[in-house]
Amino acid sequence: MSEPTCRACRGRSGVVVLDLGPQPACDYFPRLDDPGPDPQYPLAMWLCSGCGLAQLVADPTVPAEPRGAEPAALVLQAQDAVRKVAEAGLLPDGARVAEYGSPHGGSWLGLLRDRGLRSVPDGDQADVVVDCFGLMHAPDQRAALAERAARVAPGGVLLLQYHSLDTIVSCGQWNALRHGHYAYYSATALAAMLAVSGFSARTAWRFELYGGTILLSAQRDADGRTGPDDTGPDDTGPDGTGPDDVVRSLLAQEVTSGVGDWRVLQCLQRESQAQAGGLRAWLVAQRAAGRTVLGYGAASRAVALLRLAAVDRTLLPAVVDASPAKQGLRMPGTDIPIVAPDQLARRRPDVVLLFVADLQAEVRAAFPDVEASGGRWVDAQLASSSHAGGSAGLEQGA
Ligand SMILES: [Zn+2]
């Protein structure tokens, strides 16, 4: 494989930090009667030595994802985020807003309209430009960020929300890597990308979504509400031109955790092997104990995990998913069918392996029958970890 070109700074120097080998497209769910084999594509993460952006090496797949059910956790987080940004005074009544959304849901537009903001037509400038998990879907990161920055009206704000690379590394979320997600941001790399467009991060908020999600607000450097005597390095904070204490501590934390260091990121490779082996051992142990296991959440992160663990329907007879578009299909690269939630009541599993931890509160409330009939919800990552280290103990999902 020739050295990639950075999607942001165009540098040619970097290191592959996670290589999952050939993987099926995680957003193409074949029909259950399609025997395969499913086409596979290389799946690897490369860290640019120039700007520090972790990114997808290549992606020949075409996004074809059936629109998944929007998790309640995503909706709640959007409400929380909008409230916090409003409290910071960044959502004035009557302001114009443009949104770059994610195909996974979580739009802010309805919430912003409720607060008196009005959306502008495509391409128009806006006082508030919001990107909720949208930017990572752009193959050309430099062009995509420049487009968003250009749409920020003078004095306006750019709000970028992303799943933090620091979270991915510290929580061992190696299977966040997927086709169609071209960039995995640290605040450090994003700050460098913003600087190219003449923007600086001003403040940030952290949310528990996906284990750690960051919302960064950035403004054009020339828009600092400052006079000529007021532009020194000490002029920081929400009213200045530089990052506030929250951003500065976020950047300092990333220096400590080493999120820009390829040697640190390579822990994701070891984590992938340990978790895949651990999941397989856990499923074998469940089968040996005579327990029925069903999966829940036909998400992209489940695809790579099941593939790497070489799980088939003899170990996991089905994955339940609430999205009608996915039912009657199977998990890519495996023979495991995707079934409707009514199967939870019908099959009465002893254990439901939850592939999307953020869904836990939602599914426990939606499907009380599981626990009422003696079953348990178990986080797939915890199950994988419980056997990765040789521990025989089953992790309680609650
Ligand atoms: Zn770069």
Side-chain angles (χ1 to χ4, degrees), residues 5-13 46-55 189 193:
T5 301
C6 176
R7 299 179 183 278
C9 76
R10 309 296 192 233
R12 302 292 300 269
S13 167
W46 182 79
L47 181 71
C48 174
S49 307
C51 67
L53 181 67
Q55 51 200 279
M193 290 169 66

Side-chain angles (χ1 to χ4, degrees), residues 177-197:
L177 178 68
R178 52 155 288 180
H179 295 119
H181 288 183
Y182 295 93
Y184 303 84
Y185 308 100
S186 62
T188 310
L190 205 46
M193 290 169 66
L194 284 163
V196 173
S197 292

Side-chain angles (χ1 to χ4, degrees), residues 15-373:
V15 178
V16 172
V17 291
L18 173 60
D19 188 347
L20 297 179
Q23 292 285 335
C26 64
D27 48 15
Y28 173 69
F29 294 86
R31 285 167 47 111
L32 192 53
D33 58 9
D34 175 348
D38 303 334
Q40 299 191 94
Y41 312 90
L43 182 57
M45 182 190 285
W46 182 79
L47 181 71
C48 174
S49 307
C51 67
L53 181 67
Q55 51 200 279
L56 197 59
V57 172
D59 188 3
T61 69
V62 179
E65 55 196 305
R67 180 69 181 259
E70 186 174 62
L74 194 60
V75 176
L76 290 172
Q77 189 274 342
Q79 292 166 358
D80 191 16
V82 168
R83 187 169 58 243
K84 286 186 165 129
V85 175
E87 281 166 8
L90 294 171
L91 301 176
D93 193 14
R96 297 163 292 169
V97 60
E99 183 179 59
Y100 289 85
S102 156
H104 313 299
S107 172
W108 287 20
L109 272 187
L111 298 165
L112 294 175
R113 287 200 200 99
D114 290 347
R115 287 184 177 268
L117 283 77
R118 56 198 170 86
S119 46
V120 297
D122 279 354
D124 280 14
Q125 281 205 324
D127 307 301
V128 180
V129 175
V130 183
D131 187 302
C132 284
F133 307 112
L135 188 60
M136 66 179 172
H137 296 92
D140 187 337
Q141 288 287 302
R142 181 163 79 178
L145 188 60
E147 178 190 331
R148 286 153 177 76
R151 290 192 63 190
V152 177
V157 63
L158 176 60
L159 296 167
L160 296 170
Q161 179 161 287
Y162 58 93
H163 182 198
S164 158
L165 180 62
D166 209 20
T167 302
I168 292 172
V169 173
S170 65
C171 298
Q173 297 170 340
W174 58 274
N175 47 347
L177 178 68
R178 52 155 288 180
H179 295 119
H181 288 183
Y182 295 93
Y184 303 84
Y185 308 100
S186 62
T188 310
L190 205 46
M193 290 169 66
L194 284 163
V196 173
S197 292
F199 276 64
S200 295
R202 300 299 173 86
T203 192
W205 299 263
R206 187 184 185 282
F207 302 89
E208 286 309 311
L209 187 70
Y210 306 140
T213 287
I214 302 291
L215 171 62
L216 205 64
S217 91
Q219 285 176 281
R220 209 171 265 115
D221 294 331
D223 286 346
R225 278 183 265 140
T226 57
D229 301 331
D230 212 10
T231 53
D234 293 325
D235 179 35
T236 55
D239 294 318
T241 58
D244 72 352
D245 287 345
V246 179
V247 173
R248 284 191 286 181
S249 79
L250 190 58
L251 296 171
Q253 155 64 25
E254 291 187 351
V255 171
T256 306
S257 61
V259 80
D261 184 337
W262 61 268
R263 287 159 297 197
V264 172
L265 265 61
Q266 279 183 338
C267 73
L268 293 171
Q269 188 78 46
R270 294 187 291 277
E271 193 68 38
S272 68
Q273 285 147 2
Q275 284 184 25
L279 177 66
R280 188 171 176 84
W282 183 86
L283 285 167
V284 168
Q286 297 302 312
R287 186 174 60 185
R291 297 192 190 99
T292 310
V293 182
L294 291 183
Y296 192 99
S300 62
R301 68 196 92 167
V303 173
L305 179 58
L306 292 173
R307 275 291 295 171
L308 221 57
V311 175
D312 61 16
R313 65 167 74 177
T314 67
L315 283 171
L316 188 65
V319 172
V320 176
D321 195 280
S323 167
K326 288 181 184 170
Q327 290 152 17
L329 308 179
R330 61 174 170 79
M331 295 299 287
T334 77
D335 61 357
I336 303 169
I338 301 169
V339 300
D342 65 353
Q343 294 297 312
L344 287 171
R346 199 163 298 166
R347 301 195 194 193
R348 294 168 159 258
D350 299 300
V351 185
V352 186
L353 193 60
L354 185 59
F355 290 110
V356 183
D358 294 281
L359 287 175
Q360 186 156 120
E362 184 178 353
V363 293
R364 289 186 70 197
F367 308 111
D369 285 0
V370 170
E371 287 168 294
S373 50

